[in-house]
Amino acid sequence: AEAVARRDAAALVALAEPEVELDFGGGMGRDELRQRLAGERGEELWRALAALPPLGCAVQGGELVLPWFFAQDLGSDDAYDLLLVTGADLPLRAEPRDGAAEIARVSWTLVEPLGGYDAEAKFQKVRLQDGQAGGELAGFVETARLRSPIDYRLVAARDGDGWRITAFIAGD
């Protein structure tokens, strides 16, 4: 967290395994991580890293996983078709605007985006899954409070020197 706050690539890279996994196309290694952090998409990667600690962590198979919800079983649902509401007691609104009537309150739950996803829009239309908030409901949630379950995550494993980053990756 300190390395990320300082945007200290050398310190972050030192925490990574030599063959740290960075994508599903064979991108890996400390040198590649260093290049990506300094490259065209570097600021996006630093923001993704900074967003992880507030989302908590979980231990799965002896590995540390950030954010915690990546380690959770989504059942038969396709993670590509879902978004996670990242917060507690957030309003599901009847219209896509601040102050619109609240249909329900939602907390750390998976929702299905309706009508496409527009990252530039302030609100997204979503549908809660059956059983949430008393049944199937549709409404609007602030885009800033939604995150794909398969967005960037960090995986670390313990070795003789402590914890080492084994993957910083998005997708599935």
Side-chain angles (χ1 to χ4, degrees):
E2 291 175 15
V4 172
R6 293 189 318 263
R7 300 292 200 262
D8 185 343
L12 184 70
V13 169
L15 295 172
E17 285 288 327
E19 298 300 317
V20 60
E21 188 176 9
L22 303 171
D23 62 49
F24 292 104
M28 64 176 43
R30 290 177 177 163
D31 289 340
E32 180 67 17
L33 176 58
R34 185 179 296 105
Q35 289 174 5
R36 289 182 185 197
L37 291 170
E40 185 177 305
R41 294 185 49 222
E43 187 55 35
E44 174 189 341
L45 296 176
W46 285 114
R47 280 193 308 270
L49 283 161
L52 293 175
L55 295 173
C57 64
V59 176
Q60 179 182 41
E63 295 182 319
L64 186 68
V65 180
L66 289 95
W68 68 271
F69 53 83
F70 186 77
Q72 307 309 306
D73 181 4
L74 300 181
S76 62
D77 294 325
D78 186 346
Y80 283 99
D81 297 332
L82 301 172
L83 296 169
L84 178 74
V85 175
T86 59
D89 203 32
L90 301 174
L92 178 69
R93 299 199 179 274
E95 298 175 37
R97 61 179 174 80
D98 290 324
E102 291 183 15
I103 298 170
R105 304 291 286 185
V106 292
S107 299
W108 296 100
T109 190
L110 292 168
V111 295
E112 177 187 354
L114 299 174
Y117 180 82
D118 179 0
E120 302 300 316
K122 182 164 183 176
F123 290 89
Q124 301 296 320
K125 187 170 187 179
V126 299
R127 176 177 37 230
L128 278 64
Q129 297 175 325
D130 288 337
Q132 298 178 55
E136 189 171 303
L137 294 172
F140 296 87
V141 174
E142 282 189 77
T143 302
R145 301 312 304 250
L146 296 170
R147 188 178 199 280
S148 170
I150 56 171
D151 202 342
Y152 276 101
R153 65 244 182 218
L154 185 141
V155 180
R158 189 179 286 275
D159 72 5
D161 296 327
W163 291 95
R164 293 277 178 218
I165 301 168
T166 60
F168 174 57
I169 199 162
D172 194 30

